[in-house]
Amino acid sequence: MLSGQADILESNGDNVTQHYILAAWLALRAAQDAQCRFALLTDGSPTCGSQQIYDGRFSGEKIAGNGVAAALLRQHGIEVFNETQLHALIQRVAEADK
């Protein structure tokens, strides 16, 4: 869920949260315009992480969480899958198309 309780900082300390939020809203708009029901995103990033995101320490460690685009898409009814869930996505699309 996109709740506004976290910031996205670059390694130099610059706060880029608003840039990521804008990009997430643009992604949502594009998905809605295309009538997408499902999204396949790369896990881990502060934008696309659907199960894990980097912990923010620039150590390469991941923690459970959602990126801003993944959270926003889910909030608007788009089911989000990551690259390790391709089989589940294919199965879900097949079920939805029945």
Side-chain angles (χ1 to χ4, degrees):
M1 173 185 229
L2 187 61
S3 62
Q5 296 182 13
D7 288 324
I8 301 169
L9 304 176
E10 291 185 331
S11 60
N12 65 4
D14 288 348
N15 188 325
V16 293
T17 306
Q18 291 306 313
H19 300 287
Y20 279 73
I21 292 171
L22 174 59
W25 279 103
L26 293 171
L28 173 62
R29 176 67 186 265
Q32 289 174 328
D33 287 349
Q35 299 177 352
C36 289
R37 298 175 292 163
F38 309 99
L40 178 62
L41 304 176
T42 302
D43 212 18
S45 81
T47 304
C48 299
S50 63
Q51 293 185 344
Q52 295 183 333
I53 55 174
Y54 288 106
D55 68 1
R57 295 187 186 118
F58 301 97
S59 63
E61 296 294 319
K62 294 181 181 177
I63 59 172
N66 290 288
V68 292
L72 193 61
L73 291 170
R74 283 186 172 134
Q75 282 179 336
H76 288 84
I78 297 172
E79 295 180 47
V80 176
F81 296 83
N82 69 42
E83 71 278 7
T84 67
Q85 299 174 305
L86 189 55
H87 180 73
L89 170 59
I90 292 168
Q91 184 177 356
R92 183 65 186 100
V93 170
E95 290 170 1
D97 286 345
K98 285 184 180 178

Coordinates of all heavy atoms in Angstrom, one line a residue:
M1 N 0.8 -1.2 0.0 CA 0.0 0.0 0.0 C 0.9 1.2 0.0 O 1.8 1.4 0.8 CB -0.9 0.0 1.2 CG -1.7 1.2 1.4 SD -2.6 1.2 2.9 CE -4.2 1.6 2.3
L2 N 0.6 2.2 -0.9 CA 1.3 3.4 -0.9 C 0.8 4.3 0.2 O -0.3 4.8 0.1 CB 1.1 4.1 -2.3 CG 1.9 5.3 -2.6 CD1 3.4 5.0 -2.6 CD2 1.6 5.8 -4.0
S3 N 1.6 4.5 1.3 CA 1.0 5.2 2.4 C 1.8 6.4 2.8 O 1.4 7.1 3.7 CB 1.1 4.2 3.6 OG 2.4 3.8 3.9
G4 N 2.9 6.8 2.1 CA 3.6 8.0 2.4 C 4.4 7.9 3.6 O 4.8 9.0 4.2
Q5 N 4.8 6.7 4.1 CA 5.5 6.6 5.3 C 7.0 6.3 5.1 O 7.7 6.1 6.1 CB 4.9 5.5 6.2 CG 3.5 5.8 6.6 CD 2.9 4.7 7.5 OE1 3.7 3.9 8.0 NE2 1.7 4.8 7.7
A6 N 7.5 6.4 3.8 CA 8.9 6.1 3.6 C 9.4 7.1 2.6 O 8.6 7.7 1.8 CB 9.0 4.7 3.1
D7 N 10.7 7.3 2.6 CA 11.3 8.2 1.6 C 12.3 7.3 0.7 O 12.8 6.3 1.2 CB 12.2 9.2 2.3 CG 11.3 10.3 2.9 OD1 10.3 10.7 2.3 OD2 11.7 10.8 4.0
I8 N 12.5 7.8 -0.5 CA 13.5 7.1 -1.3 C 14.7 8.1 -1.5 O 14.5 9.2 -2.0 CB 12.9 6.8 -2.7 CG1 11.7 5.9 -2.5 CG2 13.9 6.2 -3.6 CD1 10.8 5.7 -3.8
L9 N 15.8 7.6 -1.0 CA 17.0 8.5 -1.0 C 18.1 7.9 -2.0 O 18.2 6.6 -2.0 CB 17.6 8.6 0.4 CG 16.7 9.1 1.5 CD1 17.4 9.0 2.8 CD2 16.2 10.5 1.2
E10 N 18.7 8.7 -2.7 CA 19.9 8.3 -3.5 C 21.1 8.1 -2.6 O 21.1 8.5 -1.4 CB 20.2 9.3 -4.6 CG 19.1 9.3 -5.7 CD 19.4 10.2 -6.8 OE1 20.1 11.2 -6.7 OE2 18.9 9.9 -7.9
S11 N 22.1 7.4 -3.1 CA 23.3 7.2 -2.3 C 24.0 8.5 -1.8 O 24.6 8.4 -0.8 CB 24.3 6.3 -3.1 OG 24.7 7.0 -4.3
N12 N 23.7 9.6 -2.5 CA 24.3 10.9 -2.0 C 23.4 11.6 -1.1 O 23.7 12.7 -0.6 CB 24.6 11.8 -3.2 CG 23.4 12.2 -4.0 OD1 22.3 11.9 -3.6 ND2 23.6 12.9 -5.1
G13 N 22.3 11.0 -0.7 CA 21.4 11.5 0.3 C 20.2 12.3 -0.3 O 19.3 12.8 0.4
D14 N 20.2 12.6 -1.6 CA 19.1 13.3 -2.3 C 17.8 12.5 -2.1 O 17.8 11.3 -2.4 CB 19.4 13.5 -3.8 CG 20.5 14.6 -4.0 OD1 20.9 15.3 -3.0 OD2 20.9 14.7 -5.2
N15 N 16.8 13.2 -1.7 CA 15.5 12.6 -1.6 C 14.8 12.7 -2.9 O 14.5 13.8 -3.4 CB 14.6 13.4 -0.5 CG 13.3 12.7 -0.2 OD1 12.7 12.1 -1.1 ND2 12.9 12.8 1.1
V16 N 14.5 11.6 -3.5 CA 13.8 11.5 -4.8 C 12.4 10.9 -4.7 O 11.9 10.4 -5.8 CB 14.7 10.7 -5.8 CG1 16.0 11.5 -6.1 CG2 15.1 9.3 -5.3
T17 N 11.9 10.9 -3.6 CA 10.6 10.3 -3.3 C 9.5 10.8 -4.3 O 8.8 10.0 -4.9 CB 10.1 10.5 -1.9 OG1 11.1 10.0 -1.0 CG2 8.8 9.8 -1.6
Q18 N 9.4 12.1 -4.4 CA 8.4 12.7 -5.3 C 8.5 12.3 -6.8 O 7.6 12.1 -7.5 CB 8.3 14.2 -5.1 CG 7.9 14.6 -3.8 CD 6.5 14.0 -3.4 OE1 5.6 14.1 -4.2 NE2 6.4 13.5 -2.2
H19 N 9.8 12.1 -7.2 CA 10.0 11.6 -8.6 C 9.4 10.2 -8.8 O 8.8 9.9 -9.8 CB 11.5 11.7 -8.9 CG 12.1 13.0 -8.8 ND1 11.9 14.0 -9.7 CD2 13.0 13.5 -7.9 CE1 12.6 15.1 -9.4 NE2 13.2 14.8 -8.2
Y20 N 9.7 9.4 -7.8 CA 9.2 8.0 -7.9 C 7.7 7.9 -7.8 O 7.1 7.1 -8.5 CB 9.8 7.1 -6.8 CG 11.2 6.7 -7.1 CD1 12.3 7.5 -7.1 CD2 11.5 5.3 -7.4 CE1 13.6 7.1 -7.4 CE2 12.8 4.9 -7.7 CZ 13.8 5.8 -7.7 OH 15.1 5.4 -8.0
I21 N 7.1 8.8 -7.0 CA 5.6 8.8 -6.9 C 5.0 9.3 -8.2 O 4.0 8.7 -8.7 CB 5.2 9.6 -5.7 CG1 5.6 8.9 -4.4 CG2 3.7 9.9 -5.7 CD1 5.4 9.8 -3.1
L22 N 5.6 10.3 -8.8 CA 5.1 10.8 -10.1 C 5.2 9.7 -11.1 O 4.2 9.4 -11.9 CB 5.9 12.0 -10.5 CG 5.5 12.5 -12.0 CD1 4.1 12.9 -12.1 CD2 6.5 13.6 -12.3
A23 N 6.3 9.0 -11.2 CA 6.5 7.9 -12.1 C 5.5 6.8 -11.9 O 4.9 6.2 -12.8 CB 7.9 7.3 -12.0
A24 N 5.2 6.5 -10.6 CA 4.2 5.5 -10.3 C 2.8 5.9 -10.8 O 2.1 5.1 -11.4 CB 4.2 5.2 -8.8
W25 N 2.4 7.2 -10.6 CA 1.1 7.6 -11.1 C 1.1 7.6 -12.6 O 0.0 7.2 -13.2 CB 0.8 9.0 -10.6 CG 0.3 9.0 -9.2 CD1 1.0 9.3 -8.0 CD2 -1.0 8.7 -8.8 NE1 0.2 9.2 -6.9 CE2 -1.0 8.8 -7.4 CE3 -2.1 8.3 -9.4 CZ2 -2.2 8.5 -6.6 CZ3 -3.3 8.0 -8.7 CH2 -3.3 8.1 -7.3
L26 N 2.2 7.9 -13.3 CA 2.2 7.8 -14.7 C 2.1 6.3 -15.2 O 1.4 6.1 -16.2 CB 3.5 8.4 -15.3 CG 3.6 9.9 -15.1 CD1 5.0 10.4 -15.5 CD2 2.5 10.7 -15.9
A27 N 2.7 5.4 -14.5 CA 2.6 4.0 -14.8 C 1.1 3.5 -14.6 O 0.6 2.8 -15.4 CB 3.5 3.2 -14.0
L28 N 0.5 4.0 -13.5 CA -0.9 3.6 -13.3 C -1.8 4.2 -14.4 O -2.6 3.4 -14.9 CB -1.3 4.2 -11.9 CG -2.8 4.0 -11.7 CD1 -3.2 2.5 -11.6 CD2 -3.2 4.7 -10.4
R29 N -1.5 5.4 -14.8 CA -2.4 6.0 -15.9 C -2.2 5.2 -17.2 O -3.2 4.9 -17.8 CB -2.0 7.4 -16.1 CG -2.6 8.1 -17.2 CD -4.1 8.3 -16.9 NE -4.8 8.9 -18.0 CZ -5.1 10.1 -18.2 NH1 -4.7 11.0 -17.3 NH2 -5.7 10.5 -19.3
A30 N -1.0 4.8 -17.5 CA -0.7 4.1 -18.7 C -1.4 2.7 -18.6 O -2.0 2.2 -19.6 CB 0.8 3.9 -19.0
A31 N -1.3 2.1 -17.5 CA -2.0 0.8 -17.3 C -3.5 0.9 -17.4 O -4.1 0.0 -18.0 CB -1.6 0.2 -15.9
Q32 N -4.0 1.9 -16.8 CA -5.5 2.1 -16.9 C -5.9 2.4 -18.3 O -6.9 1.9 -18.8 CB -5.9 3.2 -15.9 CG -5.9 2.8 -14.5 CD -6.2 4.0 -13.5 OE1 -5.9 5.1 -13.8 NE2 -6.7 3.6 -12.4
D33 N -5.2 3.2 -19.0 CA -5.5 3.5 -20.4 C -5.5 2.3 -21.3 O -6.3 2.2 -22.2 CB -4.5 4.6 -21.0 CG -4.8 6.0 -20.4 OD1 -5.8 6.2 -19.7 OD2 -3.9 6.8 -20.6
A34 N -4.6 1.4 -20.9 CA -4.5 0.1 -21.7 C -5.4 -1.0 -21.2 O -5.4 -2.1 -21.6 CB -3.0 -0.4 -21.7
Q35 N -6.2 -0.7 -20.1 CA -7.1 -1.6 -19.5 C -6.4 -2.8 -19.0 O -6.9 -4.0 -19.1 CB -8.2 -2.0 -20.4 CG -9.1 -0.8 -20.8 CD -10.2 -1.1 -21.8 OE1 -10.3 -2.2 -22.3 NE2 -11.0 -0.1 -22.1
C36 N -5.2 -2.6 -18.4 CA -4.4 -3.7 -17.8 C -5.1 -4.2 -16.6 O -5.6 -3.5 -15.7 CB -3.0 -3.3 -17.5 SG -2.0 -2.9 -18.9
R37 N -5.1 -5.5 -16.4 CA -5.5 -6.2 -15.2 C -4.4 -6.8 -14.4 O -4.6 -7.1 -13.2 CB -6.5 -7.3 -15.5 CG -7.8 -6.8 -16.3 CD -8.7 -7.9 -16.7 NE -8.0 -8.6 -17.8 CZ -8.3 -9.9 -18.2 NH1 -9.3 -10.5 -17.6 NH2 -7.6 -10.5 -19.1
F38 N -3.3 -7.0 -15.1 CA -2.1 -7.6 -14.5 C -0.8 -6.8 -14.8 O -0.8 -6.3 -15.9 CB -2.0 -9.1 -14.9 CG -3.2 -9.8 -14.8 CD1 -4.1 -10.0 -15.9 CD2 -3.6 -10.4 -13.6 CE1 -5.3 -10.7 -15.8 CE2 -4.8 -11.1 -13.5 CZ -5.6 -11.3 -14.6
A39 N 0.2 -6.9 -13.9 CA 1.4 -6.2 -14.2 C 2.6 -7.2 -13.9 O 2.5 -7.9 -12.8 CB 1.6 -5.0 -13.4
L40 N 3.6 -7.2 -14.7 CA 4.8 -8.0 -14.4 C 5.9 -7.0 -14.2 O 6.3 -6.3 -15.1 CB 5.1 -8.9 -15.6 CG 6.4 -9.8 -15.5 CD1 6.3 -10.7 -14.3 CD2 6.6 -10.5 -16.8
L41 N 6.4 -7.0 -12.9 CA 7.4 -6.0 -12.6 C 8.7 -6.7 -12.0 O 8.5 -7.8 -11.5 CB 6.9 -5.0 -11.5 CG 5.6 -4.3 -11.9 CD1 5.1 -3.4 -10.7 CD2 5.8 -3.4 -13.1
T42 N 9.8 -6.1 -12.1 CA 11.0 -6.7 -11.5 C 11.1 -6.4 -10.0 O 11.1 -5.3 -9.6 CB 12.3 -6.1 -12.3 OG1 12.1 -6.3 -13.7 CG2 13.5 -6.7 -11.7
D43 N 11.3 -7.5 -9.3 CA 11.3 -7.3 -7.8 C 12.6 -6.7 -7.3 O 13.6 -6.8 -7.9 CB 11.1 -8.7 -7.2 CG 10.3 -8.7 -5.9 OD1 9.7 -7.7 -5.6 OD2 10.4 -9.7 -5.1
G44 N 12.5 -6.0 -6.2 CA 13.6 -5.5 -5.6 C 13.8 -3.9 -5.6 O 14.3 -3.4 -4.7
S45 N 13.3 -3.3 -6.6 CA 13.5 -1.9 -6.7 C 12.5 -1.1 -5.9 O 11.4 -1.6 -5.6 CB 13.4 -1.4 -8.2 OG 12.0 -1.3 -8.6
P46 N 12.8 0.2 -5.6 CA 11.9 1.0 -4.9 C 10.7 1.4 -5.7 O 9.7 2.0 -5.2 CB 12.7 2.3 -4.5 CG 13.9 2.3 -5.4 CD 14.1 0.9 -5.8
T47 N 10.7 1.1 -7.0 CA 9.6 1.4 -7.8 C 8.7 0.1 -8.0 O 7.5 0.1 -7.8 CB 10.0 1.9 -9.2 OG1 10.8 3.0 -9.1 CG2 8.8 2.2 -10.1
C48 N 9.4 -1.0 -8.5 CA 8.7 -2.1 -9.0 C 8.7 -3.3 -8.0 O 8.0 -4.3 -8.3 CB 9.3 -2.6 -10.3 SG 9.2 -1.4 -11.6
G49 N 9.3 -3.2 -6.9 CA 9.4 -4.3 -5.9 C 8.0 -4.7 -5.6 O 7.2 -3.9 -5.1
S50 N 7.6 -6.0 -5.8 CA 6.3 -6.5 -5.4 C 6.2 -7.4 -4.2 O 5.2 -7.6 -3.7 CB 5.6 -7.2 -6.6 OG 6.4 -8.4 -6.9
Q51 N 7.4 -7.9 -3.8 CA 7.5 -8.7 -2.6 C 8.7 -8.2 -1.8 O 8.6 -8.3 -0.6 CB 7.7 -10.1 -3.0 CG 6.4 -10.7 -3.6 CD 6.6 -12.2 -3.8 OE1 7.6 -12.8 -3.8 NE2 5.4 -12.9 -4.0
Q52 N 9.7 -7.7 -2.5 CA 10.9 -7.3 -1.8 C 11.4 -5.9 -2.3 O 11.2 -5.7 -3.5 CB 12.1 -8.3 -1.9 CG 11.8 -9.6 -1.3 CD 13.0 -10.5 -1.4 OE1 13.8 -10.4 -2.3 NE2 13.1 -11.5 -0.5
I53 N 12.0 -5.2 -1.5 CA 12.7 -3.9 -1.9 C 14.0 -3.9 -1.2 O 14.3 -4.6 -0.2 CB 11.9 -2.7 -1.5 CG1 11.5 -2.7 0.0 CG2 10.6 -2.6 -2.4 CD1 10.8 -1.4 0.5
Y54 N 15.0 -3.1 -1.7 CA 16.2 -2.9 -1.1 C 16.0 -2.2 0.2 O 15.2 -1.4 0.4 CB 17.2 -2.2 -2.0 CG 17.7 -3.1 -3.1 CD1 17.2 -2.9 -4.4 CD2 18.6 -4.1 -2.9 CE1 17.6 -3.7 -5.5 CE2 19.0 -4.9 -3.9 CZ 18.5 -4.7 -5.2 OH 18.9 -5.6 -6.2
D55 N 16.9 -2.5 1.2 CA 16.7 -2.0 2.6 C 17.1 -0.5 2.7 O 16.9 0.0 3.8 CB 17.4 -2.9 3.6 CG 18.9 -2.8 3.5 OD1 19.5 -2.0 2.7 OD2 19.6 -3.5 4.3
G56 N 17.6 0.1 1.7 CA 17.9 1.5 1.8 C 19.3 1.8 2.3 O 19.7 3.0 2.5
R57 N 20.1 0.8 2.6 CA 21.5 1.0 3.1 C 22.5 0.9 2.1 O 23.7 1.0 2.4 CB 21.7 0.0 4.3 CG 20.8 0.3 5.4 CD 21.2 -0.6 6.6 NE 20.3 -0.5 7.7 CZ 19.5 -1.5 8.1 NH1 19.6 -2.7 7.6 NH2 18.6 -1.2 9.1
F58 N 22.1 0.7 0.8 CA 23.0 0.5 -0.3 C 24.0 -0.6 -0.1 O 25.1 -0.6 -0.5 CB 23.7 1.8 -0.6 CG 22.8 2.9 -1.0 CD1 22.4 3.8 0.0 CD2 22.2 3.0 -2.2 CE1 21.4 4.8 -0.3 CE2 21.3 4.0 -2.5 CZ 20.9 4.9 -1.6
S59 N 23.5 -1.7 0.6 CA 24.3 -2.9 0.8 C 23.9 -4.0 0.0 O 24.6 -5.1 0.0 CB 24.1 -3.3 2.3 OG 22.8 -3.6 2.6
G60 N 22.9 -3.9 -0.8 CA 22.4 -5.0 -1.6 C 21.4 -5.9 -0.9 O 20.9 -6.8 -1.5
E61 N 21.2 -5.6 0.3 CA 20.2 -6.4 1.1 C 18.8 -6.1 0.8 O 18.5 -4.9 0.6 CB 20.5 -6.3 2.6 CG 21.8 -6.7 3.1 CD 22.0 -8.3 2.9 OE1 21.1 -9.0 3.2 OE2 23.1 -8.7 2.5
K62 N 17.9 -7.1 0.8 CA 16.5 -6.8 0.5 C 15.7 -7.1 1.8 O 16.1 -8.0 2.6 CB 16.0 -7.7 -0.7 CG 16.7 -7.3 -2.0 CD 16.1 -8.1 -3.1 CE 16.8 -7.7 -4.4 NZ 16.4 -8.6 -5.5
I63 N 14.5 -6.5 1.8 CA 13.6 -6.7 2.9 C 12.2 -6.9 2.3 O 12.0 -6.5 1.1 CB 13.6 -5.5 3.9 CG1 13.2 -4.2 3.2 CG2 14.9 -5.4 4.7 CD1 13.0 -3.0 4.2
A64 N 11.3 -7.4 3.0 CA 9.9 -7.5 2.5 C 9.3 -6.1 2.3 O 9.5 -5.2 3.2 CB 9.1 -8.3 3.5
G65 N 8.6 -5.9 1.2 CA 8.0 -4.6 1.0 C 7.6 -4.5 -0.5 O 7.9 -5.3 -1.3
N66 N 7.0 -3.3 -0.7 CA 6.5 -3.0 -2.1 C 7.1 -1.7 -2.5 O 7.2 -0.8 -1.7 CB 5.0 -2.8 -2.1 CG 4.2 -4.1 -1.8 OD1 4.2 -5.0 -2.7 ND2 3.7 -4.3 -0.7
G67 N 7.4 -1.6 -3.8 CA 7.8 -0.4 -4.4 C 6.6 0.5 -4.6 O 5.5 0.0 -4.6
V68 N 6.8 1.8 -5.0 CA 5.7 2.7 -5.1 C 4.8 2.4 -6.2 O 3.6 2.5 -6.1 CB 6.2 4.2 -5.1 CG1 6.8 4.6 -3.8 CG2 7.2 4.4 -6.3
A69 N 5.3 1.9 -7.4 CA 4.5 1.6 -8.5 C 3.7 0.3 -8.2 O 2.5 0.2 -8.5 CB 5.3 1.4 -9.8
A70 N 4.3 -0.7 -7.7 CA 3.6 -1.9 -7.3 C 2.5 -1.6 -6.3 O 1.4 -2.1 -6.5 CB 4.6 -2.9 -6.7
A71 N 2.8 -0.8 -5.3 CA 1.7 -0.5 -4.3 C 0.6 0.2 -5.0 O -0.6 -0.1 -4.7 CB 2.3 0.3 -3.2
L72 N 0.9 1.2 -5.8 CA -0.2 2.0 -6.4 C -1.0 1.2 -7.4 O -2.3 1.3 -7.4 CB 0.4 3.2 -7.1 CG -0.5 4.3 -7.5 CD1 -1.3 4.9 -6.3 CD2 0.2 5.4 -8.3
L73 N -0.4 0.4 -8.2 CA -1.1 -0.5 -9.1 C -2.1 -1.4 -8.3 O -3.3 -1.5 -8.6 CB -0.2 -1.3 -9.9 CG 0.6 -0.6 -11.0 CD1 1.7 -1.5 -11.6 CD2 -0.2 0.0 -12.0
R74 N -1.6 -2.0 -7.2 CA -2.4 -2.9 -6.4 C -3.6 -2.1 -5.8 O -4.7 -2.6 -5.7 CB -1.6 -3.5 -5.3 CG -0.8 -4.7 -5.8 CD -0.1 -5.4 -4.6 NE 0.6 -6.6 -5.1 CZ 1.8 -6.9 -4.8 NH1 2.5 -6.2 -4.0 NH2 2.3 -8.0 -5.3
Q75 N -3.3 -0.9 -5.3 CA -4.4 -0.1 -4.7 C -5.5 0.2 -5.7 O -6.6 0.4 -5.3 CB -3.8 1.3 -4.2 CG -3.1 1.2 -2.9 CD -2.6 2.5 -2.5 OE1 -2.3 3.4 -3.3 NE2 -2.4 2.7 -1.2
H76 N -5.2 0.1 -7.0 CA -6.2 0.4 -8.0 C -6.6 -0.8 -8.7 O -7.1 -0.8 -9.9 CB -5.6 1.5 -9.0 CG -5.6 2.8 -8.4 ND1 -4.6 3.2 -7.6 CD2 -6.5 3.8 -8.3 CE1 -4.8 4.5 -7.1 NE2 -6.0 4.8 -7.6
G77 N -6.5 -2.0 -8.1 CA -7.0 -3.2 -8.6 C -6.2 -4.0 -9.6 O -6.8 -4.9 -10.2
I78 N -5.0 -3.6 -9.9 CA -4.2 -4.3 -10.9 C -3.3 -5.3 -10.1 O -2.6 -4.9 -9.1 CB -3.3 -3.3 -11.7 CG1 -4.2 -2.4 -12.5 CG2 -2.3 -4.1 -12.6 CD1 -3.5 -1.3 -13.2
E79 N -3.4 -6.6 -10.5 CA -2.7 -7.6 -9.8 C -1.2 -7.5 -10.3 O -0.9 -7.5 -11.5 CB -3.2 -9.0 -10.1 CG -4.6 -9.2 -9.6 CD -5.2 -10.5 -9.9 OE1 -4.5 -11.5 -9.7 OE2 -6.4 -10.6 -10.3
V80 N -0.3 -7.6 -9.3 CA 1.1 -7.4 -9.6 C 1.9 -8.7 -9.3 O 1.7 -9.4 -8.3 CB 1.7 -6.3 -8.7 CG1 3.2 -6.2 -9.0 CG2 1.0 -5.0 -9.0
F81 N 2.7 -9.1 -10.3 CA 3.6 -10.3 -10.2 C 5.0 -9.9 -10.5 O 5.3 -8.9 -11.1 CB 3.1 -11.3 -11.2 CG 1.8 -11.8 -11.0 CD1 0.7 -11.1 -11.5 CD2 1.5 -13.0 -10.4 CE1 -0.6 -11.6 -11.3 CE2 0.3 -13.5 -10.2 CZ -0.8 -12.8 -10.6
N82 N 6.0 -10.7 -10.0 CA 7.4 -10.4 -10.3 C 7.9 -11.5 -11.2 O 7.2 -12.4 -11.5 CB 8.2 -10.2 -9.0 CG 8.4 -11.5 -8.2 OD1 8.6 -12.6 -8.8 ND2 8.2 -11.4 -6.9
E83 N 9.2 -11.3 -11.6 CA 9.8 -12.2 -12.6 C 9.9 -13.6 -12.2 O 10.0 -14.5 -13.0 CB 11.2 -11.6 -13.0 CG 12.2 -11.8 -12.0 CD 12.3 -10.7 -10.9 OE1 11.3 -9.8 -10.9 OE2 13.2 -10.7 -10.1
T84 N 9.8 -13.9 -10.9 CA 9.9 -15.3 -10.4 C 8.5 -15.9 -10.4 O 8.3 -17.1 -10.1 CB 10.5 -15.4 -9.0 OG1 9.6 -14.8 -8.1 CG2 11.9 -14.8 -9.0
Q85 N 7.4 -15.1 -10.7 CA 6.1 -15.6 -10.6 C 5.4 -15.7 -12.0 O 4.2 -15.6 -12.1 CB 5.2 -14.6 -9.7 CG 5.7 -14.5 -8.3 CD 4.9 -13.5 -7.6 OE1 4.9 -12.3 -8.0 NE2 4.4 -13.9 -6.5
L86 N 6.2 -15.8 -13.0 CA 5.7 -15.8 -14.4 C 4.7 -16.9 -14.6 O 3.6 -16.7 -15.2 CB 6.9 -16.0 -15.4 CG 6.5 -15.8 -16.9 CD1 5.8 -14.4 -17.1 CD2 7.8 -15.9 -17.7
H87 N 5.0 -18.1 -14.1 CA 4.0 -19.2 -14.2 C 2.7 -18.9 -13.5 O 1.6 -19.1 -14.1 CB 4.6 -20.5 -13.6 CG 3.7 -21.7 -13.7 ND1 3.4 -22.3 -14.9 CD2 2.9 -22.3 -12.8 CE1 2.5 -23.3 -14.7 NE2 2.2 -23.3 -13.4
A88 N 2.7 -18.3 -12.4 CA 1.5 -17.9 -11.6 C 0.8 -16.8 -12.4 O -0.5 -16.8 -12.5 CB 1.8 -17.4 -10.2
L89 N 1.5 -15.9 -13.0 CA 0.8 -14.9 -13.8 C 0.1 -15.5 -15.0 O -1.0 -15.1 -15.3 CB 1.9 -13.8 -14.3 CG 1.4 -12.8 -15.4 CD1 0.2 -12.0 -14.8 CD2 2.5 -11.9 -15.8
I90 N 0.8 -16.4 -15.7 CA 0.2 -17.0 -16.9 C -1.1 -17.8 -16.5 O -2.1 -17.7 -17.1 CB 1.2 -18.0 -17.6 CG1 2.3 -17.1 -18.2 CG2 0.5 -18.9 -18.6 CD1 3.5 -17.9 -18.7
Q91 N -1.0 -18.5 -15.4 CA -2.2 -19.2 -14.8 C -3.3 -18.3 -14.5 O -4.4 -18.5 -14.8 CB -1.7 -20.0 -13.6 CG -2.8 -20.9 -13.1 CD -2.4 -21.8 -11.9 OE1 -1.2 -21.8 -11.6 NE2 -3.3 -22.5 -11.3
R92 N -3.0 -17.2 -13.8 CA -4.0 -16.2 -13.4 C -4.7 -15.5 -14.6 O -5.9 -15.3 -14.6 CB -3.3 -15.1 -12.5 CG -4.3 -14.1 -12.0 CD -5.3 -14.7 -11.1 NE -6.3 -13.7 -10.7 CZ -7.5 -13.6 -11.3 NH1 -7.9 -14.4 -12.2 NH2 -8.3 -12.6 -10.9
V93 N -3.9 -15.2 -15.7 CA -4.5 -14.7 -16.9 C -5.4 -15.7 -17.5 O -6.5 -15.3 -18.0 CB -3.4 -14.2 -17.9 CG1 -4.0 -13.9 -19.2 CG2 -2.6 -13.0 -17.3
A94 N -5.0 -16.9 -17.6 CA -5.9 -18.0 -18.2 C -7.2 -18.1 -17.4 O -8.2 -18.2 -18.0 CB -5.1 -19.3 -18.2
E95 N -7.1 -18.1 -16.1 CA -8.3 -18.1 -15.2 C -9.2 -17.0 -15.5 O -10.4 -17.1 -15.6 CB -7.9 -18.2 -13.7 CG -7.2 -19.4 -13.3 CD -6.6 -19.3 -11.9 OE1 -6.8 -18.2 -11.2 OE2 -6.0 -20.3 -11.4
A96 N -8.6 -15.8 -15.6 CA -9.4 -14.6 -15.8 C -10.1 -14.5 -17.1 O -11.2 -13.9 -17.3 CB -8.5 -13.3 -15.6
D97 N -9.5 -15.2 -18.1 CA -10.0 -15.2 -19.5 C -11.1 -16.2 -19.7 O -11.7 -16.3 -20.8 CB -8.9 -15.3 -20.5 CG -8.1 -14.0 -20.6 OD1 -8.6 -13.0 -20.2 OD2 -7.0 -14.1 -21.2
K98 N -11.4 -17.1 -18.7 CA -12.4 -18.1 -18.9 C -13.8 -17.5 -18.8 O -14.1 -16.6 -18.2 CB -12.2 -19.2 -17.8 CG -11.1 -20.1 -18.0 CD -11.0 -21.1 -16.9 CE -9.8 -22.0 -17.2 NZ -9.7 -23.1 -16.2

